[in-house]
mmCIF file with all atom_site columns, all heavy atoms in Angstrom:
data_model
loop_
_atom_site.group_PDB
_atom_site.id
_atom_site.type_symbol
_atom_site.label_atom_id
_atom_site.label_alt_id
_atom_site.label_comp_id
_atom_site.label_asym_id
_atom_site.label_entity_id
_atom_site.label_seq_id
_atom_site.pdbx_PDB_ins_code
_atom_site.Cartn_x
_atom_site.Cartn_y
_atom_site.Cartn_z
_atom_site.occupancy
_atom_site.B_iso_or_equiv
_atom_site.pdbx_formal_charge
_atom_site.auth_seq_id
_atom_site.auth_comp_id
_atom_site.auth_asym_id
_atom_site.auth_atom_id
_atom_site.pdbx_PDB_model_num
ATOM 1  N N   . VAL A 1 51 ? 14.147 2.576   -8.889  1.00 87.00 ? 51 VAL A N   1
ATOM 2  C CA  . VAL A 1 51 ? 12.692 2.356   -8.786  1.00 87.00 ? 51 VAL A CA  1
ATOM 3  C C   . VAL A 1 51 ? 12.320 1.127   -9.655  1.00 87.00 ? 51 VAL A C   1
ATOM 4  O O   . VAL A 1 51 ? 11.579 0.267   -9.182  1.00 87.00 ? 51 VAL A O   1
ATOM 5  C CB  . VAL A 1 51 ? 11.909 3.592   -9.200  1.00 87.00 ? 51 VAL A CB  1
ATOM 6  C CG1 . VAL A 1 51 ? 10.411 3.290   -9.319  1.00 87.00 ? 51 VAL A CG1 1
ATOM 7  C CG2 . VAL A 1 51 ? 12.107 4.795   -8.240  1.00 87.00 ? 51 VAL A CG2 1
ATOM 8  N N   . ALA A 1 52 ? 12.926 1.039   -10.795 1.00 92.00 ? 52 ALA A N   1
ATOM 9  C CA  . ALA A 1 52 ? 12.622 -0.104  -11.702 1.00 92.00 ? 52 ALA A CA  1
ATOM 10 C C   . ALA A 1 52 ? 13.046 -1.424  -11.004 1.00 92.00 ? 52 ALA A C   1
ATOM 11 O O   . ALA A 1 52 ? 12.301 -2.393  -11.112 1.00 92.00 ? 52 ALA A O   1
ATOM 12 C CB  . ALA A 1 52 ? 13.338 0.032   -13.008 1.00 92.00 ? 52 ALA A CB  1
ATOM 13 N N   . GLN A 1 53 ? 14.199 -1.430  -10.349 1.00 94.00 ? 53 GLN A N   1
ATOM 14 C CA  . GLN A 1 53 ? 14.647 -2.613  -9.688  1.00 94.00 ? 53 GLN A CA  1
ATOM 15 C C   . GLN A 1 53 ? 13.695 -2.980  -8.500  1.00 94.00 ? 53 GLN A C   1
ATOM 16 O O   . GLN A 1 53 ? 13.330 -4.154  -8.338  1.00 94.00 ? 53 GLN A O   1
ATOM 17 C CB  . GLN A 1 53 ? 16.059 -2.428  -9.143  1.00 94.00 ? 53 GLN A CB  1
ATOM 18 C CG  . GLN A 1 53 ? 16.551 -3.667  -8.440  1.00 94.00 ? 53 GLN A CG  1
ATOM 19 C CD  . GLN A 1 53 ? 17.971 -3.468  -7.857  1.00 94.00 ? 53 GLN A CD  1
ATOM 20 O OE1 . GLN A 1 53 ? 18.567 -2.463  -8.003  1.00 94.00 ? 53 GLN A OE1 1
ATOM 21 N NE2 . GLN A 1 53 ? 18.474 -4.498  -7.222  1.00 94.00 ? 53 GLN A NE2 1
ATOM 22 N N   . ASP A 1 54 ? 13.236 -1.963  -7.753  1.00 87.00 ? 54 ASP A N   1
ATOM 23 C CA  . ASP A 1 54 ? 12.308 -2.217  -6.700  1.00 87.00 ? 54 ASP A CA  1
ATOM 24 C C   . ASP A 1 54 ? 11.002 -2.846  -7.221  1.00 87.00 ? 54 ASP A C   1
ATOM 25 O O   . ASP A 1 54 ? 10.526 -3.801  -6.653  1.00 87.00 ? 54 ASP A O   1
ATOM 26 C CB  . ASP A 1 54 ? 11.976 -0.909  -5.959  1.00 87.00 ? 54 ASP A CB  1
ATOM 27 C CG  . ASP A 1 54 ? 13.063 -0.409  -5.087  1.00 87.00 ? 54 ASP A CG  1
ATOM 28 O OD1 . ASP A 1 54 ? 14.021 -1.172  -4.823  1.00 87.00 ? 54 ASP A OD1 1
ATOM 29 O OD2 . ASP A 1 54 ? 12.997 0.793   -4.677  1.00 87.00 ? 54 ASP A OD2 1
ATOM 30 N N   . TRP A 1 55 ? 10.525 -2.265  -8.337  1.00 88.00 ? 55 TRP A N   1
ATOM 31 C CA  . TRP A 1 55 ? 9.272  -2.779  -8.904  1.00 88.00 ? 55 TRP A CA  1
ATOM 32 C C   . TRP A 1 55 ? 9.404  -4.227  -9.420  1.00 88.00 ? 55 TRP A C   1
ATOM 33 O O   . TRP A 1 55 ? 8.545  -5.067  -9.290  1.00 88.00 ? 55 TRP A O   1
ATOM 34 C CB  . TRP A 1 55 ? 8.757  -1.890  -9.997  1.00 88.00 ? 55 TRP A CB  1
ATOM 35 C CG  . TRP A 1 55 ? 8.204  -0.598  -9.456  1.00 88.00 ? 55 TRP A CG  1
ATOM 36 C CD1 . TRP A 1 55 ? 7.973  -0.274  -8.151  1.00 88.00 ? 55 TRP A CD1 1
ATOM 37 C CD2 . TRP A 1 55 ? 7.818  0.560   -10.201 1.00 88.00 ? 55 TRP A CD2 1
ATOM 38 N NE1 . TRP A 1 55 ? 7.489  1.014   -8.052  1.00 88.00 ? 55 TRP A NE1 1
ATOM 39 C CE2 . TRP A 1 55 ? 7.347  1.538   -9.314  1.00 88.00 ? 55 TRP A CE2 1
ATOM 40 C CE3 . TRP A 1 55 ? 7.849  0.826   -11.571 1.00 88.00 ? 55 TRP A CE3 1
ATOM 41 C CZ2 . TRP A 1 55 ? 6.923  2.786   -9.726  1.00 88.00 ? 55 TRP A CZ2 1
ATOM 42 C CZ3 . TRP A 1 55 ? 7.401  2.075   -11.950 1.00 88.00 ? 55 TRP A CZ3 1
ATOM 43 C CH2 . TRP A 1 55 ? 6.905  3.049   -11.055 1.00 88.00 ? 55 TRP A CH2 1
ATOM 44 N N   . ARG A 1 56 ? 10.582 -4.483  -10.031 1.00 94.00 ? 56 ARG A N   1
ATOM 45 C CA  . ARG A 1 56 ? 10.867 -5.880  -10.457 1.00 94.00 ? 56 ARG A CA  1
ATOM 46 C C   . ARG A 1 56 ? 10.901 -6.870  -9.325  1.00 94.00 ? 56 ARG A C   1
ATOM 47 O O   . ARG A 1 56 ? 10.376 -7.955  -9.371  1.00 94.00 ? 56 ARG A O   1
ATOM 48 C CB  . ARG A 1 56 ? 12.143 -5.959  -11.291 1.00 94.00 ? 56 ARG A CB  1
ATOM 49 C CG  . ARG A 1 56 ? 12.020 -5.473  -12.685 1.00 94.00 ? 56 ARG A CG  1
ATOM 50 C CD  . ARG A 1 56 ? 13.217 -5.725  -13.557 1.00 94.00 ? 56 ARG A CD  1
ATOM 51 N NE  . ARG A 1 56 ? 13.114 -4.973  -14.799 1.00 94.00 ? 56 ARG A NE  1
ATOM 52 C CZ  . ARG A 1 56 ? 13.590 -3.740  -15.008 1.00 94.00 ? 56 ARG A CZ  1
ATOM 53 N NH1 . ARG A 1 56 ? 14.260 -3.141  -14.080 1.00 94.00 ? 56 ARG A NH1 1
ATOM 54 N NH2 . ARG A 1 56 ? 13.398 -3.129  -16.158 1.00 94.00 ? 56 ARG A NH2 1
ATOM 55 N N   . LEU A 1 57 ? 11.579 -6.408  -8.260  1.00 93.00 ? 57 LEU A N   1
ATOM 56 C CA  . LEU A 1 57 ? 11.681 -7.309  -7.081  1.00 93.00 ? 57 LEU A CA  1
ATOM 57 C C   . LEU A 1 57 ? 10.295 -7.551  -6.468  1.00 93.00 ? 57 LEU A C   1
ATOM 58 O O   . LEU A 1 57 ? 9.957  -8.699  -6.007  1.00 93.00 ? 57 LEU A O   1
ATOM 59 C CB  . LEU A 1 57 ? 12.645 -6.739  -6.014  1.00 93.00 ? 57 LEU A CB  1
ATOM 60 C CG  . LEU A 1 57 ? 14.134 -6.746  -6.460  1.00 93.00 ? 57 LEU A CG  1
ATOM 61 C CD1 . LEU A 1 57 ? 14.925 -5.937  -5.412  1.00 93.00 ? 57 LEU A CD1 1
ATOM 62 C CD2 . LEU A 1 57 ? 14.600 -8.144  -6.560  1.00 93.00 ? 57 LEU A CD2 1
ATOM 63 N N   . LEU A 1 58 ? 9.494  -6.531  -6.395  1.00 89.00 ? 58 LEU A N   1
ATOM 64 C CA  . LEU A 1 58 ? 8.108  -6.656  -5.893  1.00 89.00 ? 58 LEU A CA  1
ATOM 65 C C   . LEU A 1 58 ? 7.277  -7.597  -6.830  1.00 89.00 ? 58 LEU A C   1
ATOM 66 O O   . LEU A 1 58 ? 6.559  -8.446  -6.301  1.00 89.00 ? 58 LEU A O   1
ATOM 67 C CB  . LEU A 1 58 ? 7.448  -5.330  -5.776  1.00 89.00 ? 58 LEU A CB  1
ATOM 68 C CG  . LEU A 1 58 ? 7.896  -4.477  -4.629  1.00 89.00 ? 58 LEU A CG  1
ATOM 69 C CD1 . LEU A 1 58 ? 7.352  -3.049  -4.750  1.00 89.00 ? 58 LEU A CD1 1
ATOM 70 C CD2 . LEU A 1 58 ? 7.478  -5.057  -3.296  1.00 89.00 ? 58 LEU A CD2 1
ATOM 71 N N   . SER A 1 59 ? 7.441  -7.484  -8.051  1.00 93.00 ? 59 SER A N   1
ATOM 72 C CA  . SER A 1 59 ? 6.759  -8.360  -9.035  1.00 93.00 ? 59 SER A CA  1
ATOM 73 C C   . SER A 1 59 ? 7.178  -9.860  -8.776  1.00 93.00 ? 59 SER A C   1
ATOM 74 O O   . SER A 1 59 ? 6.330  -10.709 -8.709  1.00 93.00 ? 59 SER A O   1
ATOM 75 C CB  . SER A 1 59 ? 7.063  -7.975  -10.451 1.00 93.00 ? 59 SER A CB  1
ATOM 76 O OG  . SER A 1 59 ? 6.479  -8.846  -11.383 1.00 93.00 ? 59 SER A OG  1
ATOM 77 N N   . VAL A 1 60 ? 8.442  -10.038 -8.688  1.00 96.00 ? 60 VAL A N   1
ATOM 78 C CA  . VAL A 1 60 ? 8.993  -11.425 -8.477  1.00 96.00 ? 60 VAL A CA  1
ATOM 79 C C   . VAL A 1 60 ? 8.505  -11.962 -7.124  1.00 96.00 ? 60 VAL A C   1
ATOM 80 O O   . VAL A 1 60 ? 8.069  -13.115 -7.044  1.00 96.00 ? 60 VAL A O   1
ATOM 81 C CB  . VAL A 1 60 ? 10.532 -11.478 -8.591  1.00 96.00 ? 60 VAL A CB  1
ATOM 82 C CG1 . VAL A 1 60 ? 11.100 -12.758 -8.086  1.00 96.00 ? 60 VAL A CG1 1
ATOM 83 C CG2 . VAL A 1 60 ? 10.962 -11.187 -10.002 1.00 96.00 ? 60 VAL A CG2 1
ATOM 84 N N   . GLY A 1 61 ? 8.587  -11.119 -6.140  1.00 93.00 ? 61 GLY A N   1
ATOM 85 C CA  . GLY A 1 61 ? 8.146  -11.565 -4.786  1.00 93.00 ? 61 GLY A CA  1
ATOM 86 C C   . GLY A 1 61 ? 6.647  -11.933 -4.725  1.00 93.00 ? 61 GLY A C   1
ATOM 87 O O   . GLY A 1 61 ? 6.319  -12.981 -4.176  1.00 93.00 ? 61 GLY A O   1
ATOM 88 N N   . ILE A 1 62 ? 5.824  -11.183 -5.338  1.00 92.00 ? 62 ILE A N   1
ATOM 89 C CA  . ILE A 1 62 ? 4.404  -11.476 -5.376  1.00 92.00 ? 62 ILE A CA  1
ATOM 90 C C   . ILE A 1 62 ? 4.183  -12.778 -6.179  1.00 92.00 ? 62 ILE A C   1
ATOM 91 O O   . ILE A 1 62 ? 3.412  -13.600 -5.751  1.00 92.00 ? 62 ILE A O   1
ATOM 92 C CB  . ILE A 1 62 ? 3.560  -10.286 -6.007  1.00 92.00 ? 62 ILE A CB  1
ATOM 93 C CG1 . ILE A 1 62 ? 3.664  -9.071  -5.093  1.00 92.00 ? 62 ILE A CG1 1
ATOM 94 C CG2 . ILE A 1 62 ? 2.160  -10.702 -6.270  1.00 92.00 ? 62 ILE A CG2 1
ATOM 95 C CD1 . ILE A 1 62 ? 3.165  -7.812  -5.764  1.00 92.00 ? 62 ILE A CD1 1
#
Side-chain angles (χ1 to χ4, degrees):
V51 172
Q53 181 181 0
D54 288 346
W55 288 350
R56 282 189 191 93
L57 290 173
L58 286 168
S59 175
V60 169
I62 294 167

